[in-house]
Structures are given as C-alpha cells and as structure tokens.
Amino acid sequence: MTDVGDKMASVRWAFRCGSWTPSSSEWLFAARCVQQEEKDRIGKFVFAKDAKSAMAGRLLLRRFVCERMYIPWAQFRLERSPRGKPFLAAPPEVSPDVGVAPLTWSFNISHQGDYAVLAAEKGMQVGVDIMKTSMPGSSTVPEFFRVMTRQFTPHEWHAILSAGSEHRQLAMFYRHWALKESFIKAIGTGLGFNLQRAEFHLSSEVPTQTSVLCGTRMHLDEEEDHDWVFEESLLDEDHHVAVALGPMKTPRSTHPTSYVPAFTQLSFTDLIASASPLTEEDPAYWESFQAKAEAPLRQRLAHIQA
C-alpha cells in the first residue's frame, strides 16, 4: 500500500504552455499574479512562446508554495540565487495552521519545448530538467554532436551513437542532457560545473509516458554515487523529463521507494486556482503580448522579402 505521507512529500506538475493560447483576460490576470519584477522580465521576451513558458513557470512555483507550503499567495516573495535557482525569501518558520516547516521543501522548475514543469521534494535536494527531442536548427546531427563533444564522456557518447537512427541518437542525447542538467540544478552550481564530472549509466529500460524509471546511476568524478536518485519519464513521445534527488546538508528523509510520482498535467484553471492578484491590471501588457505573438510571422516575412 502507498503511504499517504509519501504522496504528500513529492510534487511533480507539468503545464503544456505550447498549446496554451491565452485570452486577454487570462494573460492579464496571470500577469497580476506574479511579482512585478517577474512580470517585467517576462515582458522583455521577444517571442510569445518564451513569455508563456516563463509565465507558466512562475505560476507553477507560486501554486506550489501556496498549496503545499500553506502560505497565502500574496504573503510570500520568490527570489533567485546568484545562479538563477528560485527560492522562498524569508519564509515563516512554521505554518500556524498545519505545523509544517516550509524550509524542509526543495523545489525547482524547467521549461523547454512545449512544457513547463515543477518538481518538489520534502527533505531532499531536487533539480528538474525537460528537453524536447528536435533536429538541430542550423546544422546536421553529426555536426551538432561534434560541437557538443566535450559535454559528454566516452561512455556516454557510446550510448548516444549506438542508439540507432539519427532521431534515436538525438533522443538519447537529450536524455543524457536532461539528467546532467537536473543534477546541476539540484546542487545549484550553474555553468561553472564540468559536465564530464557527472557520467550517467542509463537504466536498461526505456522511459515511457506511463511509468517512471529510477534505475539510472551517476558516476561522480569516476566513482559510482549512491546518494543520488534520478527519475526519468516522458510527458509525450518527444519530451523527456529528469528529476534529480539528493541529500541535503541537514538530516533528510530517504527517497520513498514505495511511491515514485509521475507528472500530473495541469490546466490553466488549475494553475490559478489559488491565485490572488499582486499588482493592478495593465492593459498595455496584453498589447505587448499580442505583438510578441506576431513576431515569428514578421520574422518569416522579412526573411522571404530579403
């Protein structure tokens, strides 16, 4: 039997922002429900696709803090570490209603391709990364791999190049990449980490949309690591998600072996179910978003005319 406590200690949410076509009321309400500096940052994106992904990521974070850490939507601030990892600024020590210590949670988000995802875990470090398997935009697959040679070890390149067709090789490439990024995001080191230090030995099973794999092992600095667990799954046939779970500096709980959570896909209604506005409505923000939505068309037309 699955322990209810296991379920409450793990959160895996996904939102398909690629197919989200917000109305003016949805976009303006979403903008009111994030912090002003985040709204301003989202407003600087050139393309609507990127703005939607960033907005979804912020809403996922705020929904999590509100619904799982029991802090009202308008009563907390999210900030970023110098390396970009989100964290809760000056949280209350204990929620008076439920007696839960918010600092025992670790959380992380990622957005790429058509999805934004959030992973959170109580008592463990967590990092999440999502990658969409897609052809390189401006080079062949062999040339793309050549440019990326130094990011993977010989063992990893053997696994990638032995996968079969170019599409399968790309899928294997992005599977490895998501694993590495999930670990880096969990430990918060950013771009300064040498990716070859973390070598992944993949599970013999293939990730699917109906199961979560936990058999992949990491070798850190050429020694097998036994502290970290990696969850792998597919949101659809092209989007691979990796979640890294590792020890905190303080005493931690162990990874629940009886319950491995799959990602729950949320609707926009789910995202804002607990939301409350933080700022006043800004009609010009919708006009700016519409301009972003038209930017790819303008770009294509300019290319044709050139």
Side-chain angles (χ1 to χ4, degrees):
M1 176 180 292
T2 299
D3 193 307
V4 173
D6 288 347
K7 288 187 176 182
M8 295 300 293
S10 302
V11 175
R12 307 287 185 272
W13 289 338
F15 177 70
R16 192 177 181 106
C17 39
S19 59
W20 176 38
T21 306
S23 65
S24 61
S25 60
E26 286 179 343
W27 187 250
L28 290 175
F29 184 73
R32 295 183 67 194
C33 295
V34 299
Q35 292 162 201
Q36 182 65 49
E37 68 273 17
E38 294 294 347
K39 174 187 168 184
D40 294 342
R41 185 180 66 85
I42 293 167
K44 293 178 181 177
F45 284 107
V46 174
F47 299 110
K49 180 180 185 295
D50 299 320
K52 289 192 300 177
S53 296
M55 182 70 78
R58 304 319 291 180
L59 292 174
L60 281 168
L61 283 169
R62 295 197 75 86
R63 181 185 195 263
F64 165 74
V65 174
C66 182
E67 295 190 6
R68 294 304 178 91
M69 298 176 73
Y70 307 103
I71 306 174
W73 192 282
Q75 294 184 21
F76 64 88
R77 279 188 56 78
L78 291 166
E79 295 186 0
R80 298 171 184 265
S81 72
R83 299 189 183 276
K85 188 172 184 178
F87 67 92
L88 189 61
E93 292 184 1
V94 176
S95 169
D97 296 329
V98 295
V100 175
L103 282 177
T104 61
W105 281 98
S106 175
F107 51 86
N108 197 227
I109 59 169
S110 178
H111 45 80
Q112 202 269 340
D114 297 331
Y115 288 90
V117 294
L118 174 142
E121 197 79 13
K122 188 176 290 185
M124 302 187 78
Q125 290 188 84
V126 63
V128 63
D129 196 65
I130 180 169
M131 293 301 302
K132 180 179 181 179
T133 300
S134 58
M135 296 296 289
S138 59
S139 64
T140 64
V141 172
E143 175 62 18
F144 175 62
F145 285 169
R146 187 192 66 78
V147 172
M148 302 297 290
T149 297
R150 297 179 62 185
Q151 308 304 322
F152 297 96
T153 67
H155 172 85
E156 292 169 330
W157 275 119
H158 177 74
I160 293 168
L161 297 175
S162 301
S165 67
E166 285 193 343
H167 182 79
R168 290 183 177 179
Q169 289 180 28
L170 281 169
M172 187 65 76
F173 172 92
Y174 287 119
R175 182 179 174 185
H176 279 86
W177 188 266
L179 286 162
K180 287 177 183 281
E181 284 293 316
S182 70
F183 174 65
I184 291 169
K185 292 174 72 176
I187 61 178
T189 57
L191 298 176
F193 185 88
N194 179 357
L195 292 179
Q196 289 202 15
R197 290 182 57 196
E199 178 181 270
F200 287 89
H201 293 235
L202 303 188
S203 165
S204 58
E205 298 178 83
V206 178
T208 70
Q209 298 176 53
T210 58
S211 62
V212 181
L213 300 184
C214 296
T216 289
R217 305 303 305 170
M218 178 178 68
H219 288 222
L220 186 61
D221 296 328
E222 300 183 353
E223 293 188 9
E224 183 174 357
D225 183 277
H226 298 283
D227 291 330
W228 286 83
V229 174
F230 294 88
E231 301 171 356
E232 296 184 87
S233 58
L234 296 178
L235 293 185
D236 60 29
E237 62 181 10
D238 292 324
H239 289 80
H240 184 97
V241 187
V243 177
L245 297 167
M248 286 185 165
K249 294 180 181 179
T250 55
R252 65 179 178 92
S253 60
T254 58
H255 183 261
T257 56
S258 60
Y259 175 69
V260 181
F263 275 85
T264 299
Q265 296 204 28
L266 306 180
S267 67
F268 179 71
T269 301
D270 295 328
L271 276 187
I272 62 169
S274 302
S276 58
L278 307 179
T279 60
E280 296 298 318
E281 186 170 297
D282 177 10
Y285 204 71
W286 171 246
E287 296 172 9
S288 174
F289 177 77
Q290 287 182 301
K292 298 178 198 301
E294 296 168 359
L297 177 59
R298 293 197 302 269
Q299 192 178 58
R300 286 196 294 271
L301 288 173
H303 178 74
I304 293 171
Q305 293 169 356

